[in-house]
Amino acid sequence: TDDLKYAVVAFANTDGGKIYIGIGLNECNYEYEYIEQGFEKLVNMIKQHQPDCKIILQSIMMCAKKTAKGNWYFDQENLGNINAIIKSFADGETVFYIDSNEWIVDEEGYLPADMTHDGIHLYGTGYEEWALWIVEKSGWLGIE
C-alpha cells in the first residue's frame, strides 16, 4: 500500500485528464477481498487527488489455453472473477471499465497461442495493437 500511496502522490499535482489502470497476472493469486480492497483504495486516492480525472480500469487479459489449464490462478474462472471485481468499480461517469479481452481472445476465450511466446505475454507488436485498441475503445465509450 505504500507503493500505491507514492504512485498516487506522484501524479497528484499533474493535470491528467485520464488515468488508465491495469494489473498483471502476478496479482491474480491473491485473495479476492485483498484485490477488491486494493482497487477501492486506489480509486479513492485518485478521486481525492484528481477529482476531475477519468479513471479507466482495464481487465486482466486471459492466458493461452495451455497456460490457463495448468494453473488455477490463470484459468478463465479465476481471471473472470477478478475482472468482475475490477468492473464493479466502474460507474460510467468518472470510473470506466474496458474489457481488454474483447479484441484478442479466440472463440474459446483464450489468448491466441500465436500472439504470445509464453502463454501470458504478448509479442511486441501485440502491445502496440492493444494500445491502439484501448485508445479507440475509450473513444467508443465517450471517454474524452
Side-chain angles (χ1 to χ4, degrees):
T1 58
D2 281 341
D3 291 339
L4 180 65
K5 182 172 73 175
Y6 294 127
V8 172
V9 169
F11 65 77
N13 295 320
T14 66
D15 277 340
K18 297 179 210 166
I19 296 175
Y20 290 82
I21 299 170
I23 62 171
L25 291 168
N26 290 343
E27 290 77 24
C28 68
N29 65 342
Y30 293 161
E31 295 289 327
Y32 296 143
E33 185 176 326
Y34 182 79
I35 294 169
E36 185 173 18
Q37 290 171 353
F39 266 91
E40 183 175 27
K41 281 182 181 179
L42 179 59
V43 168
N44 288 338
M45 280 188 201
I46 294 170
K47 285 181 174 183
Q48 177 185 359
H49 292 287
Q50 290 282 348
D52 298 325
C53 183
K54 304 243 175 160
I55 302 167
I56 298 95
L57 305 175
Q58 298 176 71
S59 68
I60 295 176
M61 197 175 296
M62 294 296 172
C63 297
K65 188 173 187 175
K66 183 178 178 181
T67 303
K69 295 291 184 186
N71 300 291
W72 70 268
Y73 44 88
F74 291 157
D75 72 22
Q76 289 178 333
E77 180 180 1
N78 186 51
L79 297 182
N81 290 337
I82 295 169
N83 286 336
I85 291 168
I86 297 168
K87 186 177 183 177
S88 73
F89 289 96
D91 60 18
E93 294 178 21
T94 59
V95 183
F96 300 85
Y97 175 79
I98 292 180
D99 184 353
S100 298
N101 293 295
E102 288 178 14
W103 77 277
I104 187 122
V105 296
D106 63 20
E107 61 280 345
E108 293 182 86
Y110 295 103
L111 178 64
D114 64 348
M115 292 292 294
T116 178
H117 64 92
D118 62 0
I120 296 171
H121 300 96
L122 297 173
Y123 288 120
T125 56
Y127 286 106
E128 183 178 344
E129 290 176 41
W130 184 22
L132 292 171
W133 179 85
I134 289 169
V135 170
E136 189 174 340
K137 181 70 175 185
S138 296
W140 293 335
L141 292 173
I143 307 168
E144 298 179 15

